[in-house]
């Protein structure tokens, strides 16, 4: 595996049939969605929950997530580029989806859906969080084939070659780079396992959701130190790091409030 990463030069295109092109990036997202659906259905059965609505909700969340992720990337990460190349904003097969925007938009869509169906928001996010982590672990391999979101140059044996057109001018002389998307994929997979265990063990709403938000934010904050894709810098930190810090603070505040609420209910 290490030798493969060190020598293989991936291509964005999986196959072209009759003028129709299938990209590895798209395939990764399809596999991620299917895996997330299967995991969520399995968890629902373990808890004896009705999941007949799952396909409809997944479709809604996928559309909202893609739109939110793209808008985040276009307006928060690369606004100057897309101002000069506006039509490229629609070319999502070239890559460029911001997970923070995707999660935010999906949560808004989920809130709207739950209000219509009179369900518990935190109960549902607890059910969906493990699938989200698993989907991220799989979807990150789309970045590998797009040769994007890699890290700083490295001489480690698992460093990956990046074609010169995909490198920043500062690193044109470097040969190998950290596969940060693979680091995140491994971290996301570990988070998914932790969340599955937590979902099956804990009963109070919100614990799995808050655990996902906390663990992923910590993971993303750490990885941003070696990622070199251009993003806005504020106070010496990259924008995703500030978002991660904000999410962790919100999680701590909400967990504290929930803990006090549960304590009061237990006293009664």
């Amino acid at each position: 595996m290490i030798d493969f990463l060190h020598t293989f030069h991936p291509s964005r295109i999986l196959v072209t049939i009759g003028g129709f092109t299938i990209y590895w990036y798209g395939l990764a997202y399809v596999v991620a969605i299917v895996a997330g659906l299967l995991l969520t259905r399995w968890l629902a059965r373990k808890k004896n929950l009705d999941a007949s609505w799952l396909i409809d909700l997944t479709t809604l969340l996928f559309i909202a997530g893609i739109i939110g992720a793209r808008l985040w990337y276009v307006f928060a990460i690369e606004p100057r580029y897309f101002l000069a190349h506006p039509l490229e904003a629609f070319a999502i097969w070239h890559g460029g989806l911001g997970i923070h925007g995707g999660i935010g938009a999906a949560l808004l869509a989920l809130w709207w859906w739950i209000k219509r169906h009179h369900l518990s928001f935190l109960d549902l996010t607890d059910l969906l969080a493990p699938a989200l982590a698993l989907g991220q672990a799989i979807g990150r391999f789309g970045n590998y084939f797009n040769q994007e979101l890699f890290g700083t140059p490295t001489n480690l044996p698992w460093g990956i070659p990046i074609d010169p057109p995909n490198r920043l001018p500062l690193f044109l002389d470097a040969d190998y780079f950290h596969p940060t998307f693979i680091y995140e994929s491994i971290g996301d997979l570990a988070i998914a396992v932790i969340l599955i265990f937590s979902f099956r063990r804990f009963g109070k709403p919100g614990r799995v959701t808050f655990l996902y938000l906390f663990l992923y934010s910590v993971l993303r904050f750490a990885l941003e130190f070696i990622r070199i894709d251009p993003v806005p810098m504020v106070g010496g930190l990259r924008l995703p790091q500030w978002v991660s810090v904000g999410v962790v603070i919100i999680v701590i505040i909400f967990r504290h409030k929930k803990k006090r609420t549960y304590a009061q209910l237990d006293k009664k």
Side-chain angles (χ1 to χ4, degrees), residues 17-90:
I17 304 175
F20 181 76
T21 302
I22 300 176
Y23 292 86
W24 283 104
Y25 194 82
L27 177 64
Y29 273 81
V30 170
V31 174
I33 293 169
V34 173
L37 274 171
L38 294 175
L39 175 59
T40 303
R41 191 178 294 277
W42 179 76
L43 290 175
R45 288 175 179 171
K46 290 295 181 180
K47 289 281 190 176
N48 295 317
L49 300 174
D50 175 28
S52 59
W53 41 262
L54 187 56
I55 297 295
D56 291 339
L57 178 58
T58 300
T59 303
L60 172 65
L61 296 183
F62 173 73
I63 295 173
I66 290 294
I67 293 174
R70 190 58 170 175
L71 289 175
W72 175 267
Y73 187 81
V74 169
F75 291 106
I77 305 300
E78 291 279 8
R80 293 183 179 178
Y81 174 81
F82 289 104
L83 185 62
H85 307 85
L87 293 180
E88 277 292 307
F90 300 97

Side-chain angles (χ1 to χ4, degrees), residues 39 42-43 47 130 190-203 208 211:
L39 175 59
W42 179 76
L43 290 175
K47 289 281 190 176
I191 291 173
V193 172
I194 294 171
L195 296 182
I196 292 169
F197 174 79
S198 301
F199 179 81
R200 299 187 63 185
R201 180 176 179 182
F202 299 132
V208 177
L211 186 59

Side-chain angles (χ1 to χ4, degrees), residues 73 77-78 148-152 168 171 180 220 223-224 226-233 238 240:
Y73 187 81
I77 305 300
E78 291 279 8
E148 61 185 0
L149 306 187
F150 48 89
T152 53
L168 293 175
F171 303 109
T180 48
R220 185 61 182 270
L223 288 177
E224 286 294 325
I226 58 173
R227 278 178 52 161
I228 57 175
D229 48 300
V231 298
M233 297 285 294
R238 292 160 59 88

Side-chain angles (χ1 to χ4, degrees), residues 146-158:
N146 272 5
Q147 293 196 14
E148 61 185 0
L149 306 187
F150 48 89
T152 53
T154 180
N155 292 322
L156 292 171
W158 56 83

Side-chain angles (χ1 to χ4, degrees), residues 168-264:
L168 293 175
L170 182 63
F171 303 109
L172 286 178
D173 294 333
D175 293 320
Y176 298 98
F177 298 80
H178 279 287
T180 48
F181 39 80
I182 295 180
Y183 300 162
E184 181 173 332
S185 180
I186 294 171
D188 288 334
L189 185 60
I191 291 173
V193 172
I194 294 171
L195 296 182
I196 292 169
F197 174 79
S198 301
F199 179 81
R200 299 187 63 185
R201 180 176 179 182
F202 299 132
K204 292 180 179 179
R207 287 190 175 182
V208 177
T209 300
F210 293 139
L211 186 59
Y212 164 78
L213 292 172
F214 178 82
L215 291 176
Y216 179 70
S217 295
V218 171
L219 172 65
R220 185 61 182 270
F221 183 89
L223 288 177
E224 286 294 325
F225 283 111
I226 58 173
R227 278 178 52 161
I228 57 175
D229 48 300
V231 298
M233 297 285 294
V234 181
L237 293 178
R238 292 160 59 88
L239 177 60
Q241 290 179 304
W242 283 112
V243 174
S244 297
V245 169
V247 170
V248 168
I249 293 173
I250 292 172
V251 166
I252 292 173
I253 292 173
F254 270 82
R255 281 296 297 135
H256 179 68
K257 288 184 176 180
K258 281 288 181 181
K259 188 174 182 180
R260 290 181 58 184
T261 301
Y262 292 145
Q264 292 173 357

Side-chain angles (χ1 to χ4, degrees), residues 87-100:
L87 293 180
E88 277 292 307
F90 300 97
I92 61 173
W93 54 88
H94 290 165
L97 297 175
I99 186 64
H100 293 110

